[in-house]
Amino acid sequence: MICDQCGERSASVIVKQQQHGQIIERNLCHVCAAENHSINVAFEQDPLAIHQLLSNWFPNSQASTSPARKEVVTCPSCGFTFSKFLRLGKFGCDSCYDAFSPHLDEIFKRFHNGNIEHKGKIPASYGTTLKIKKEIEELRKQMQVCIQEEDFEKAARLRDEVKALSAKLEGGAADGS
Amino acid sequence: MAVERFLQPHASSWMTNNAENVDIAMSTRIRLARNLTDFKFPYSFTEDEALKVDKEISSVLLDKGNELDYNFSHISIEELAQLQKEVLVEKHLISPFLVNSQRSGSVLLSENEELSIMVNEEDHLRIQSLQPGFQLQQAFKIANELDSLLEKNLSYAFHEKYGYLTSCPTNAGTGMRASVMLHLPALTMSHQIQRIIPAISRLGMVVRGIYGEGSEALGNVYQISNQLTLGKSEYEILQDLENMTEQIIQQERKAREAIALNSPMILEDRVYRSLGVLTHSRLLTTEEAATRLSDVRLGIDLKMIQDLDMSILNELMIFMQPAFLQQYADKPLQPRERDFARAKLFRERLNKKDRNSEGEDLA
Ligand SMILES: [Zn+2]
Ligand SMILES: [Zn+2]
């Protein structure tokens, strides 16, 4: 089926809209669905619209109740299964994010124009540790490059820096700062 | 009861009229969604947990809120009568979602009604900051300061990759929704709005009508807000929204000039006809009142009408809604009776001089 809006890509999302008391069905491609303003209207007003989008984006996961597919992802803390998350369009608790993590990039990409990572405010209590962790990540990347370029002297210097930062991280965790 | 003062038909400070670009940008809102660690989210927690969350958040706000000079009133939703809840919804101080929630929730309101903190809405905490006119930075500053104060005393659910963790995947990251309410009669009249809306959507922002029914904005009032909460910082999100809003305001001004230049008589007739309807009719539906208000508002902006205060119009947009009218009449009203009460309200507010000749009671 071809997208009702652009008439180019194939439709992957069926959107039901209530207009003047009538339900209208539109078939959209994922690009038009993400851009469609009337769907966004539905986001805030009708939580059902989100689950509808999700279940249309991930039709296979819906079938996970069939006996053929046994491994159902379940959040250990609140008991939400991934299919329940898709059905409701909502997380049950903060642990759901880790439990469903393998599937989340795909979902966030569609809701947030291709973005999957937080770039904003960090609570002060997380601030220092997170900053050090990011620094270590960055140094490790540089170290890989040095090793590939066989600049072992610089790689060793970077390794020492990583070590120092890691120690700081553990020390920080120990005194709770 | 603490709630009484918030139910009175007096204007909240965000409805006043002394801010920049207030002729087109009516009000600005920032909302931050937050959750606590160690408690399940509102879609899965028990009543017992709901009560604990409410207690924990409320006690911090009532105690620490004074550090920022906010004198919060704590109002439990379940203690309110249905009509009182509806009045708070019409005043934008709480959401319909909170009213319909199955679990215990509450709202903490600052004295000037600029800050409203909902507890156990879709998330444990929703900080909402309201400002008159176009003031994204100021509204964010107020919300952000309170947020920073709270995080010192509460443990927020936060993830290195996903940021602030929220019930809905559309809020994760910054948890921030920033929106500006815009009155765009000229862009609507000239049908340019249909061209602008898809362009805004493509840039990760969303447009919707004030009362949210269908695609048509009641009274030519549109709300523009950010859609993305992941991948951009709060600063970048606000910048994008600010730039976009400024462009729309400029386009609206140009469209107004063009209409005033090309068909001044038609425009003048329309403005005064609407003023006539608002000041003399006996039955006014919500739709008609919103449309006529929009025309009169435009007339004031274009200096055609000089002796009418814009802030009265802002108040009327809020007070003409069903729950407010019933509160004002002090009894339940059938739809027809509401239309009558609405017309009476407009006559009273807009013709103060001959108020005495309008002495009949609300139906
Ligand atoms: Zn398409
Ligand atoms: Zn969970």
Side-chain angles (χ1 to χ4, degrees), chain B residues 65 218 226 232 238 281:
Chain B
L218 203 51
N226 64 304
K232 278 185 188 175
L238 291 175
S281 59

Side-chain angles (χ1 to χ4, degrees), chain A residues 3 6 9 29 32:
Chain A
C3 170
C6 62
R9 288 170 287 265
C29 69
C32 292

Side-chain angles (χ1 to χ4, degrees), chain A residues 34-35 37 40-41 43-45 47 50 77-78 80 85 88-94 97-98 101 104-105 107-108 111-113 115-126 130 133-134, chain B residues 31 37 40-41 43-44 122 144 147-148 151 156-170 172-174 177 197 201-202 204 206-208 212 227-234:
Chain A
E35 286 172 354
H37 120 267
N40 297 327
V41 169
F43 276 179
E44 291 247 309
Q45 275 146 17
I50 294 173
S77 162
C78 72
F80 266 41
F85 162 71
L88 269 179
K90 311 286 170 178
F91 294 107
C93 74
D94 51 1
Y97 280 82
D98 283 321
S101 182
L104 290 184
D105 283 3
I107 289 170
F108 285 143
F111 280 126
H112 299 278
N113 277 15
N115 293 298
I116 51 170
E117 265 185 64
H118 178 60
K119 294 263 169 63
K121 183 175 180 178
I122 296 169
S125 52
Y126 292 78
L130 196 55
K133 276 187 191 166
K134 298 245 171 198
Chain B
R31 187 221 63 204
T37 52
K40 281 176 232 147
F41 290 172
Y43 281 95
S44 70
E122 188 179 277
N144 191 42
D147 179 54
S148 298
E151 73 168 38
Y156 279 164
F158 184 84
H159 192 283
E160 289 183 17
K161 179 175 175 189
Y162 303 125
Y164 292 95
L165 303 180
T166 53
S167 288
C168 190
T170 58
T174 61
R177 191 82 59 216
I197 288 175
S201 308
R202 264 191 291 281
V206 182
V207 187
R208 67 173 73 80
Q227 186 201 348
L228 302 187
T229 51
L230 264 180
K232 278 185 188 175
S233 68
E234 289 82 356

Side-chain angles (χ1 to χ4, degrees), chain B residues 288-336:
Chain B
E288 175 155 35
T291 311
R292 304 298 186 177
L293 266 174
S294 170
D295 290 342
V296 171
R297 211 186 152 88
L298 181 63
I300 296 176
D301 289 342
L302 295 174
K303 309 269 188 295
M304 283 180 191
I305 302 174
Q306 308 255 10
D307 55 351
L308 205 55
D309 185 356
M310 185 79 86
S311 54
I312 294 177
L313 300 193
N314 288 355
E315 285 174 37
L316 285 170
M317 300 248 357
I318 304 292
F319 304 147
M320 72 174 194
Q321 298 175 87
F324 257 109
L325 289 176
Q326 298 182 65
Q327 158 115 341
Y328 187 57
D330 204 18
K331 62 178 174 188
L333 299 173
Q334 295 306 308
R336 207 51 171 171

